[in-house]
PDB file of all heavy atoms in Angstrom:
ATOM      1  N   GLN X  12      17.379  -4.391   5.527  1.00 89.00           N
ATOM      2  CA  GLN X  12      16.709  -5.514   6.184  1.00 89.00           C
ATOM      3  C   GLN X  12      15.589  -5.021   7.094  1.00 89.00           C
ATOM      4  O   GLN X  12      14.538  -5.655   7.216  1.00 89.00           O
ATOM      5  CB  GLN X  12      17.719  -6.321   7.001  1.00 89.00           C
ATOM      6  CG  GLN X  12      18.747  -7.068   6.157  1.00 89.00           C
ATOM      7  CD  GLN X  12      19.832  -7.676   7.016  1.00 89.00           C
ATOM      8  OE1 GLN X  12      20.182  -7.138   8.069  1.00 89.00           O
ATOM      9  NE2 GLN X  12      20.378  -8.806   6.571  1.00 89.00           N
ATOM     10  N   ARG X  13      15.817  -3.883   7.731  1.00 91.00           N
ATOM     11  CA  ARG X  13      14.808  -3.314   8.620  1.00 91.00           C
ATOM     12  C   ARG X  13      13.503  -3.058   7.866  1.00 91.00           C
ATOM     13  O   ARG X  13      12.418  -3.369   8.352  1.00 91.00           O
ATOM     14  CB  ARG X  13      15.340  -2.010   9.227  1.00 91.00           C
ATOM     15  CG  ARG X  13      14.446  -1.417  10.314  1.00 91.00           C
ATOM     16  CD  ARG X  13      15.064  -0.133  10.842  1.00 91.00           C
ATOM     17  NE  ARG X  13      16.475  -0.340  11.211  1.00 91.00           N
ATOM     18  CZ  ARG X  13      17.362   0.629  11.288  1.00 91.00           C
ATOM     19  NH1 ARG X  13      17.017   1.882  11.021  1.00 91.00           N
ATOM     20  NH2 ARG X  13      18.608   0.375  11.626  1.00 91.00           N
ATOM     21  N   VAL X  14      13.612  -2.508   6.672  1.00 90.00           N
ATOM     22  CA  VAL X  14      12.424  -2.220   5.871  1.00 90.00           C
ATOM     23  C   VAL X  14      11.718  -3.499   5.468  1.00 90.00           C
ATOM     24  O   VAL X  14      10.484  -3.611   5.549  1.00 90.00           O
ATOM     25  CB  VAL X  14      12.809  -1.415   4.609  1.00 90.00           C
ATOM     26  CG1 VAL X  14      11.629  -1.298   3.666  1.00 90.00           C
ATOM     27  CG2 VAL X  14      13.301  -0.041   4.998  1.00 90.00           C
ATOM     28  N   GLU X  15      12.475  -4.495   5.022  1.00 91.00           N
ATOM     29  CA  GLU X  15      11.874  -5.747   4.567  1.00 91.00           C
ATOM     30  C   GLU X  15      11.185  -6.477   5.716  1.00 91.00           C
ATOM     31  O   GLU X  15      10.094  -7.033   5.532  1.00 91.00           O
ATOM     32  CB  GLU X  15      12.938  -6.642   3.929  1.00 91.00           C
ATOM     33  CG  GLU X  15      13.479  -6.094   2.609  1.00 91.00           C
ATOM     34  CD  GLU X  15      14.449  -7.067   1.954  1.00 91.00           C
ATOM     35  OE1 GLU X  15      14.272  -8.281   2.116  1.00 91.00           O
ATOM     36  OE2 GLU X  15      15.392  -6.604   1.292  1.00 91.00           O
ATOM     37  N   ILE X  16      11.814  -6.479   6.886  1.00 92.00           N
ATOM     38  CA  ILE X  16      11.192  -7.129   8.046  1.00 92.00           C
ATOM     39  C   ILE X  16       9.932  -6.371   8.454  1.00 92.00           C
ATOM     40  O   ILE X  16       8.880  -6.965   8.712  1.00 92.00           O
ATOM     41  CB  ILE X  16      12.179  -7.207   9.225  1.00 92.00           C
ATOM     42  CG1 ILE X  16      13.371  -8.090   8.862  1.00 92.00           C
ATOM     43  CG2 ILE X  16      11.484  -7.760  10.473  1.00 92.00           C
ATOM     44  CD1 ILE X  16      14.499  -8.060   9.878  1.00 92.00           C
ATOM     45  N   PHE X  17      10.036  -5.045   8.513  1.00 93.00           N
ATOM     46  CA  PHE X  17       8.892  -4.223   8.896  1.00 93.00           C
ATOM     47  C   PHE X  17       7.725  -4.442   7.935  1.00 93.00           C
ATOM     48  O   PHE X  17       6.567  -4.567   8.371  1.00 93.00           O
ATOM     49  CB  PHE X  17       9.293  -2.742   8.904  1.00 93.00           C
ATOM     50  CG  PHE X  17       8.169  -1.808   9.243  1.00 93.00           C
ATOM     51  CD1 PHE X  17       7.801  -1.592  10.562  1.00 93.00           C
ATOM     52  CD2 PHE X  17       7.472  -1.139   8.245  1.00 93.00           C
ATOM     53  CE1 PHE X  17       6.756  -0.731  10.880  1.00 93.00           C
ATOM     54  CE2 PHE X  17       6.434  -0.282   8.543  1.00 93.00           C
ATOM     55  CZ  PHE X  17       6.072  -0.073   9.874  1.00 93.00           C
ATOM     56  N   ASN X  18       7.990  -4.503   6.639  1.00 90.00           N
ATOM     57  CA  ASN X  18       6.934  -4.723   5.652  1.00 90.00           C
ATOM     58  C   ASN X  18       6.282  -6.086   5.780  1.00 90.00           C
ATOM     59  O   ASN X  18       5.171  -6.300   5.264  1.00 90.00           O
ATOM     60  CB  ASN X  18       7.490  -4.559   4.235  1.00 90.00           C
ATOM     61  CG  ASN X  18       7.655  -3.111   3.838  1.00 90.00           C
ATOM     62  OD1 ASN X  18       6.959  -2.230   4.331  1.00 90.00           O
ATOM     63  ND2 ASN X  18       8.607  -2.839   2.946  1.00 90.00           N
ATOM     64  N   SER X  19       6.962  -7.011   6.471  1.00 91.00           N
ATOM     65  CA  SER X  19       6.415  -8.360   6.645  1.00 91.00           C
ATOM     66  C   SER X  19       5.542  -8.478   7.891  1.00 91.00           C
ATOM     67  O   SER X  19       4.874  -9.498   8.084  1.00 91.00           O
ATOM     68  CB  SER X  19       7.562  -9.385   6.723  1.00 91.00           C
ATOM     69  OG  SER X  19       8.358  -9.348   5.559  1.00 91.00           O
ATOM     70  N   PHE X  20       5.543  -7.440   8.735  1.00 91.00           N
ATOM     71  CA  PHE X  20       4.668  -7.443   9.904  1.00 91.00           C
ATOM     72  C   PHE X  20       3.212  -7.252   9.482  1.00 91.00           C
ATOM     73  O   PHE X  20       2.936  -6.733   8.407  1.00 91.00           O
ATOM     74  CB  PHE X  20       5.046  -6.309  10.875  1.00 91.00           C
ATOM     75  CG  PHE X  20       6.372  -6.501  11.569  1.00 91.00           C
ATOM     76  CD1 PHE X  20       7.134  -5.399  11.934  1.00 91.00           C
ATOM     77  CD2 PHE X  20       6.853  -7.764  11.863  1.00 91.00           C
ATOM     78  CE1 PHE X  20       8.354  -5.558  12.577  1.00 91.00           C
ATOM     79  CE2 PHE X  20       8.074  -7.927  12.507  1.00 91.00           C
ATOM     80  CZ  PHE X  20       8.820  -6.819  12.854  1.00 91.00           C
ATOM     81  N   GLU X  21       2.293  -7.651  10.344  1.00 88.00           N
ATOM     82  CA  GLU X  21       0.879  -7.399  10.101  1.00 88.00           C
ATOM     83  C   GLU X  21       0.636  -5.893  10.018  1.00 88.00           C
ATOM     84  O   GLU X  21       1.302  -5.099  10.684  1.00 88.00           O
ATOM     85  CB  GLU X  21       0.024  -8.001  11.218  1.00 88.00           C
ATOM     86  CG  GLU X  21       0.033  -9.523  11.251  1.00 88.00           C
ATOM     87  CD  GLU X  21      -0.856 -10.069  12.349  1.00 88.00           C
ATOM     88  OE1 GLU X  21      -1.428  -9.252  13.118  1.00 88.00           O
ATOM     89  OE2 GLU X  21      -0.969 -11.299  12.463  1.00 88.00           O
ATOM     90  N   TRP X  22      -0.351  -5.525   9.198  1.00 86.00           N
ATOM     91  CA  TRP X  22      -0.653  -4.119   8.947  1.00 86.00           C
ATOM     92  C   TRP X  22      -0.916  -3.349  10.237  1.00 86.00           C
ATOM     93  O   TRP X  22      -0.400  -2.245  10.444  1.00 86.00           O
ATOM     94  CB  TRP X  22      -1.850  -4.042   8.010  1.00 86.00           C
ATOM     95  CG  TRP X  22      -2.325  -2.677   7.646  1.00 86.00           C
ATOM     96  CD1 TRP X  22      -3.501  -2.079   8.022  1.00 86.00           C
ATOM     97  CD2 TRP X  22      -1.666  -1.713   6.802  1.00 86.00           C
ATOM     98  NE1 TRP X  22      -3.611  -0.838   7.479  1.00 86.00           N
ATOM     99  CE2 TRP X  22      -2.503  -0.582   6.728  1.00 86.00           C
ATOM    100  CE3 TRP X  22      -0.459  -1.700   6.119  1.00 86.00           C
ATOM    101  CZ2 TRP X  22      -2.166   0.544   5.983  1.00 86.00           C
ATOM    102  CZ3 TRP X  22      -0.116  -0.576   5.376  1.00 86.00           C
ATOM    103  CH2 TRP X  22      -0.970   0.520   5.323  1.00 86.00           C
ATOM    104  N   ASN X  23      -1.718  -3.917  11.135  1.00 85.00           N
ATOM    105  CA  ASN X  23      -2.060  -3.197  12.371  1.00 85.00           C
ATOM    106  C   ASN X  23      -0.840  -3.022  13.270  1.00 85.00           C
ATOM    107  O   ASN X  23      -0.725  -2.044  14.011  1.00 85.00           O
ATOM    108  CB  ASN X  23      -3.182  -3.911  13.130  1.00 85.00           C
ATOM    109  CG  ASN X  23      -2.822  -5.314  13.535  1.00 85.00           C
ATOM    110  OD1 ASN X  23      -2.170  -6.029  12.777  1.00 85.00           O
ATOM    111  ND2 ASN X  23      -3.251  -5.744  14.713  1.00 85.00           N
ATOM    112  N   ARG X  24       0.106  -3.967  13.201  1.00 89.00           N
ATOM    113  CA  ARG X  24       1.348  -3.836  13.975  1.00 89.00           C
ATOM    114  C   ARG X  24       2.185  -2.678  13.430  1.00 89.00           C
ATOM    115  O   ARG X  24       2.758  -1.897  14.189  1.00 89.00           O
ATOM    116  CB  ARG X  24       2.157  -5.125  13.868  1.00 89.00           C
ATOM    117  CG  ARG X  24       1.559  -6.300  14.608  1.00 89.00           C
ATOM    118  CD  ARG X  24       1.854  -6.246  16.099  1.00 89.00           C
ATOM    119  NE  ARG X  24       1.748  -7.552  16.707  1.00 89.00           N
ATOM    120  CZ  ARG X  24       2.487  -7.982  17.697  1.00 89.00           C
ATOM    121  NH1 ARG X  24       3.413  -7.201  18.206  1.00 89.00           N
ATOM    122  NH2 ARG X  24       2.308  -9.177  18.210  1.00 89.00           N
ATOM    123  N   GLN X  25       2.259  -2.578  12.118  1.00 92.00           N
ATOM    124  CA  GLN X  25       3.020  -1.490  11.501  1.00 92.00           C
ATOM    125  C   GLN X  25       2.465  -0.140  11.936  1.00 92.00           C
ATOM    126  O   GLN X  25       3.214   0.768  12.322  1.00 92.00           O
ATOM    127  CB  GLN X  25       2.961  -1.613   9.973  1.00 92.00           C
ATOM    128  CG  GLN X  25       3.632  -2.845   9.408  1.00 92.00           C
ATOM    129  CD  GLN X  25       3.533  -2.918   7.901  1.00 92.00           C
ATOM    130  OE1 GLN X  25       3.301  -1.914   7.231  1.00 92.00           O
ATOM    131  NE2 GLN X  25       3.693  -4.104   7.343  1.00 92.00           N
ATOM    132  N   ILE X  26       1.159   0.000  11.871  1.00 91.00           N
ATOM    133  CA  ILE X  26       0.516   1.265  12.244  1.00 91.00           C
ATOM    134  C   ILE X  26       0.751   1.581  13.719  1.00 91.00           C
ATOM    135  O   ILE X  26       1.052   2.722  14.092  1.00 91.00           O
ATOM    136  CB  ILE X  26      -0.990   1.203  11.930  1.00 91.00           C
ATOM    137  CG1 ILE X  26      -1.204   1.045  10.424  1.00 91.00           C
ATOM    138  CG2 ILE X  26      -1.703   2.455  12.440  1.00 91.00           C
ATOM    139  CD1 ILE X  26      -2.625   0.736  10.037  1.00 91.00           C
ATOM    140  N   ASP X  27       0.624   0.547  14.557  1.00 91.00           N
ATOM    141  CA  ASP X  27       0.827   0.748  15.999  1.00 91.00           C
ATOM    142  C   ASP X  27       2.235   1.255  16.285  1.00 91.00           C
ATOM    143  O   ASP X  27       2.432   2.151  17.115  1.00 91.00           O
ATOM    144  CB  ASP X  27       0.581  -0.578  16.735  1.00 91.00           C
ATOM    145  CG  ASP X  27       0.709  -0.441  18.233  1.00 91.00           C
ATOM    146  OD1 ASP X  27       0.051   0.446  18.806  1.00 91.00           O
ATOM    147  OD2 ASP X  27       1.488  -1.201  18.841  1.00 91.00           O
ATOM    148  N   MET X  28       3.226   0.720  15.589  1.00 93.00           N
ATOM    149  CA  MET X  28       4.607   1.168  15.797  1.00 93.00           C
ATOM    150  C   MET X  28       4.793   2.616  15.368  1.00 93.00           C
ATOM    151  O   MET X  28       5.437   3.398  16.064  1.00 93.00           O
ATOM    152  CB  MET X  28       5.573   0.262  15.010  1.00 93.00           C
ATOM    153  CG  MET X  28       5.664  -1.144  15.543  1.00 93.00           C
ATOM    154  SD  MET X  28       6.776  -2.159  14.532  1.00 93.00           S
ATOM    155  CE  MET X  28       6.278  -3.795  15.028  1.00 93.00           C
ATOM    156  N   LEU X  29       4.232   2.977  14.223  1.00 93.00           N
ATOM    157  CA  LEU X  29       4.368   4.357  13.748  1.00 93.00           C
ATOM    158  C   LEU X  29       3.653   5.336  14.669  1.00 93.00           C
ATOM    159  O   LEU X  29       4.059   6.496  14.795  1.00 93.00           O
ATOM    160  CB  LEU X  29       3.823   4.484  12.324  1.00 93.00           C
ATOM    161  CG  LEU X  29       4.874   4.363  11.201  1.00 93.00           C
ATOM    162  CD1 LEU X  29       5.565   3.011  11.249  1.00 93.00           C
ATOM    163  CD2 LEU X  29       4.232   4.573   9.840  1.00 93.00           C
ATOM    164  N   LYS X  30       2.625   4.874  15.338  1.00 92.00           N
ATOM    165  CA  LYS X  30       1.876   5.743  16.248  1.00 92.00           C
ATOM    166  C   LYS X  30       2.606   5.973  17.567  1.00 92.00           C
ATOM    167  O   LYS X  30       2.529   7.065  18.135  1.00 92.00           O
ATOM    168  CB  LYS X  30       0.502   5.127  16.559  1.00 92.00           C
ATOM    169  CG  LYS X  30      -0.528   5.254  15.461  1.00 92.00           C
ATOM    170  CD  LYS X  30      -1.845   4.631  15.907  1.00 92.00           C
ATOM    171  CE  LYS X  30      -2.926   4.792  14.851  1.00 92.00           C
ATOM    172  NZ  LYS X  30      -4.202   4.142  15.270  1.00 92.00           N
ATOM    173  N   THR X  31       3.321   4.943  18.041  1.00 90.00           N
ATOM    174  CA  THR X  31       3.807   4.984  19.424  1.00 90.00           C
ATOM    175  C   THR X  31       5.317   5.131  19.596  1.00 90.00           C
ATOM    176  O   THR X  31       5.772   5.547  20.663  1.00 90.00           O
ATOM    177  CB  THR X  31       3.379   3.693  20.157  1.00 90.00           C
ATOM    178  OG1 THR X  31       3.924   2.553  19.460  1.00 90.00           O
ATOM    179  CG2 THR X  31       1.857   3.567  20.178  1.00 90.00           C
ATOM    180  N   GLN X  32       6.103   4.808  18.573  1.00 91.00           N
ATOM    181  CA  GLN X  32       7.553   4.809  18.747  1.00 91.00           C
ATOM    182  C   GLN X  32       8.158   6.201  18.549  1.00 91.00           C
ATOM    183  O   GLN X  32       7.495   7.120  18.058  1.00 91.00           O
ATOM    184  CB  GLN X  32       8.193   3.795  17.798  1.00 91.00           C
ATOM    185  CG  GLN X  32       7.743   2.365  18.046  1.00 91.00           C
ATOM    186  CD  GLN X  32       8.003   1.894  19.470  1.00 91.00           C
ATOM    187  OE1 GLN X  32       9.065   2.188  20.046  1.00 91.00           O
ATOM    188  NE2 GLN X  32       7.037   1.174  20.046  1.00 91.00           N
ATOM    189  N   ASP X  33       9.422   6.311  18.924  1.00 91.00           N
ATOM    190  CA  ASP X  33      10.145   7.582  18.840  1.00 91.00           C
ATOM    191  C   ASP X  33      10.071   8.149  17.418  1.00 91.00           C
ATOM    192  O   ASP X  33      10.378   7.457  16.445  1.00 91.00           O
ATOM    193  CB  ASP X  33      11.600   7.357  19.239  1.00 91.00           C
ATOM    194  CG  ASP X  33      12.422   8.629  19.105  1.00 91.00           C
ATOM    195  OD1 ASP X  33      12.219   9.549  19.914  1.00 91.00           O
ATOM    196  OD2 ASP X  33      13.233   8.683  18.159  1.00 91.00           O
ATOM    197  N   GLU X  34       9.661   9.421  17.309  1.00 91.00           N
ATOM    198  CA  GLU X  34       9.431   9.996  15.973  1.00 91.00           C
ATOM    199  C   GLU X  34      10.692  10.062  15.122  1.00 91.00           C
ATOM    200  O   GLU X  34      10.635   9.962  13.894  1.00 91.00           O
ATOM    201  CB  GLU X  34       8.791  11.382  16.068  1.00 91.00           C
ATOM    202  CG  GLU X  34       9.558  12.406  16.857  1.00 91.00           C
ATOM    203  CD  GLU X  34       9.087  12.469  18.309  1.00 91.00           C
ATOM    204  OE1 GLU X  34       8.502  11.475  18.784  1.00 91.00           O
ATOM    205  OE2 GLU X  34       9.321  13.504  18.951  1.00 91.00           O
ATOM    206  N   LYS X  35      11.858  10.176  15.750  1.00 93.00           N
ATOM    207  CA  LYS X  35      13.104  10.209  14.972  1.00 93.00           C
ATOM    208  C   LYS X  35      13.367   8.860  14.310  1.00 93.00           C
ATOM    209  O   LYS X  35      13.733   8.783  13.137  1.00 93.00           O
ATOM    210  CB  LYS X  35      14.281  10.597  15.875  1.00 93.00           C
ATOM    211  CG  LYS X  35      14.252  12.045  16.345  1.00 93.00           C
ATOM    212  CD  LYS X  35      15.482  12.371  17.179  1.00 93.00           C
ATOM    213  CE  LYS X  35      15.453  13.826  17.643  1.00 93.00           C
ATOM    214  NZ  LYS X  35      16.641  14.151  18.482  1.00 93.00           N
ATOM    215  N   GLN X  36      13.176   7.789  15.078  1.00 93.00           N
ATOM    216  CA  GLN X  36      13.364   6.446  14.528  1.00 93.00           C
ATOM    217  C   GLN X  36      12.298   6.141  13.476  1.00 93.00           C
ATOM    218  O   GLN X  36      12.585   5.516  12.451  1.00 93.00           O
ATOM    219  CB  GLN X  36      13.318   5.406  15.646  1.00 93.00           C
ATOM    220  CG  GLN X  36      14.483   5.506  16.619  1.00 93.00           C
ATOM    221  CD  GLN X  36      14.399   4.464  17.724  1.00 93.00           C
ATOM    222  OE1 GLN X  36      13.347   3.893  17.975  1.00 93.00           O
ATOM    223  NE2 GLN X  36      15.526   4.215  18.394  1.00 93.00           N
ATOM    224  N   VAL X  37      11.065   6.579  13.735  1.00 92.00           N
ATOM    225  CA  VAL X  37       9.979   6.369  12.777  1.00 92.00           C
ATOM    226  C   VAL X  37      10.284   7.118  11.482  1.00 92.00           C
ATOM    227  O   VAL X  37      10.078   6.592  10.381  1.00 92.00           O
ATOM    228  CB  VAL X  37       8.629   6.833  13.366  1.00 92.00           C
ATOM    229  CG1 VAL X  37       7.551   6.834  12.280  1.00 92.00           C
ATOM    230  CG2 VAL X  37       8.214   5.936  14.516  1.00 92.00           C
ATOM    231  N   ALA X  38      10.777   8.336  11.595  1.00 93.00           N
ATOM    232  CA  ALA X  38      11.112   9.134  10.410  1.00 93.00           C
ATOM    233  C   ALA X  38      12.204   8.456   9.585  1.00 93.00           C
ATOM    234  O   ALA X  38      12.162   8.456   8.350  1.00 93.00           O
ATOM    235  CB  ALA X  38      11.547  10.531  10.823  1.00 93.00           C
TER     236      ALA X  38
END
């Protein structure tokens, strides 16, 4: 569900999260 919800976010939001959030969770 996490993947499906994340894929439904706006593109710039997805990128912002990958840039700023904890690298372990992002990985």
